[in-house]
Amino acid sequence: MTAIFDTILQGVLLGGLYALFAAGLALIFGVMRLVNLAHGDFLVVGAYAGLFFLKFTGVDPLLGLPVIALLVAALAIPLYRLLLAPLADRGPEAQMMTMFAVSIILENVFVLAFSADTRAIERDYATLPLTVGPVTVPLIYVIGFAIAVTLILGVHWLISRTGFGRDLRASAADAQAAEILGVDVRRVQMLSFALGAACAGVGGTLIGAAFQFGPSSGGAYLLNSLAIVVLGGLGNVLGTLVGGLVLGFLQSIGGLTLGDGYRDLVGMALFLLMLAFRPDGFLARARS
């Protein structure tokens, strides 16, 4: 029973970590109605950034998370200005296919720059267990969960309590009406895209400390994030936390009953069921 409880708790902690990555995807979708197919590659950028931040500065990448977030956001801004903004009037399909092309290009750039070898951010806390009574979980899972929850709540506060958040909500609800009322919708979309990419980059650093990663690692995390976004409600940033916890719990149950190789199968089956029966998600009415 202790081993079962440990496995379920680990799944829930990982689900909270995945929720940070999904929150960026939900934010971009909520404002731009764009399913960013390159979002997984932003995660990989964050993982490589954390790795080389440690290598060249000697500073723990967790302390460098603000720098890594700014770096990934700085990469996202020219992508928006050069590729997405000119296609804003041509519907989300054109932007989505553009980001699909960006994803392929980035993966090939990763291979050329870093080879196809898998890597990991090697830190002591990445392998240490945390034992509280009869419960034992990897310390990095707890650290990642705490950082992810803090940042998701911070993004939710930014959206719900600030002037930028007011403009963001207005742009998400009706971009044309918001523009008539004086909101710079293009600027809001650009900053939202950058903020979503920054969430992915920070999540990538945490993932890189917990697991091995390579140039094509982003695809699996993108699929899990899509499931979380649908679970929590399309465009609902706070709902991604609930969706991540639910997905992590169900994947751990699936791993216990079917085997670890079926964890992703459970997530994708849940994703398809949600699309079929409740495509707006459990928390669709509680949009942030």
Side-chain angles (χ1 to χ4, degrees):
M1 290 300 297
T2 301
I4 292 174
F5 186 75
D6 287 353
T7 301
I8 293 175
L9 182 57
Q10 289 177 28
V12 171
L13 292 174
L14 275 179
L17 175 55
Y18 293 160
L20 173 61
F21 177 59
L25 190 65
L27 179 64
I28 293 171
F29 179 83
V31 177
M32 300 175 61
R33 298 298 183 267
L34 168 65
V35 179
N36 182 13
L37 297 180
H39 203 66
D41 300 285
F42 290 152
L43 180 146
V44 178
V45 170
Y48 279 117
L51 177 67
F52 288 104
F53 184 85
L54 173 64
K55 180 178 179 180
F56 291 117
T57 68
V59 178
D60 192 291
L62 296 186
L63 299 178
L65 285 178
V67 177
I68 294 169
L70 290 174
L71 175 66
V72 181
L75 171 65
I77 287 175
L79 286 178
Y80 174 84
R81 286 182 170 176
L82 297 175
L83 300 178
L84 297 179
L87 299 175
D89 298 329
R90 300 189 181 183
E93 294 83 3
Q95 292 182 328
M96 184 174 68
M97 295 310 298
T98 297
M99 295 314 295
F100 177 66
V102 169
S103 173
I104 295 175
I105 292 171
L106 285 176
E107 288 187 19
N108 282 276
V109 169
F110 296 150
V111 172
L112 290 173
F114 311 120
S115 80
D117 297 339
T118 57
R119 306 179 185 226
I121 301 174
E122 297 180 357
R123 305 300 294 160
D124 292 340
Y125 52 75
T127 56
L128 286 176
L130 176 65
T131 302
V132 180
V135 179
T136 301
V137 294
L139 179 58
I140 185 60
Y141 289 12
V142 179
I143 295 173
F145 180 85
I147 293 175
V149 171
T150 301
L151 292 179
I152 291 172
L153 293 177
V155 172
H156 176 68
W157 175 84
L158 178 69
I159 294 173
S160 59
R161 301 293 181 185
T162 66
F164 170 72
R166 182 186 63 247
D167 292 345
L168 186 151
R169 296 195 307 273
S171 300
D174 191 327
Q176 186 174 6
E179 197 162 15
I180 292 174
L181 294 174
V183 176
D184 189 345
V185 174
R186 291 289 178 90
R187 176 177 177 273
V188 169
Q189 290 183 349
M190 180 186 70
L191 293 178
S192 300
F193 187 74
L195 180 58
C199 289
V202 172
T205 301
L206 298 174
I207 289 294
F211 305 104
Q212 290 186 329
F213 63 92
S216 60
S217 296
Y221 294 111
L222 176 62
L223 292 176
N224 280 329
S225 296
L226 288 171
I228 291 172
V229 169
V230 172
L231 275 172
L234 300 177
N236 187 342
V237 171
L238 193 59
T240 58
L241 180 56
V242 178
L245 297 179
V246 171
L247 181 65
F249 173 78
L250 293 177
Q251 283 189 334
S252 63
I253 295 296
L256 285 170
T257 56
L258 302 175
D260 283 339
Y262 292 92
R263 285 177 175 268
D264 289 338
L265 174 63
V266 172
M268 290 305 99
L270 181 62
F271 174 55
L272 293 176
L273 287 173
M274 287 296 298
L275 285 178
F277 297 105
R278 195 175 175 87
D280 289 334
F282 288 122
L283 303 177
R285 294 184 179 181
R287 291 188 182 275
S288 57

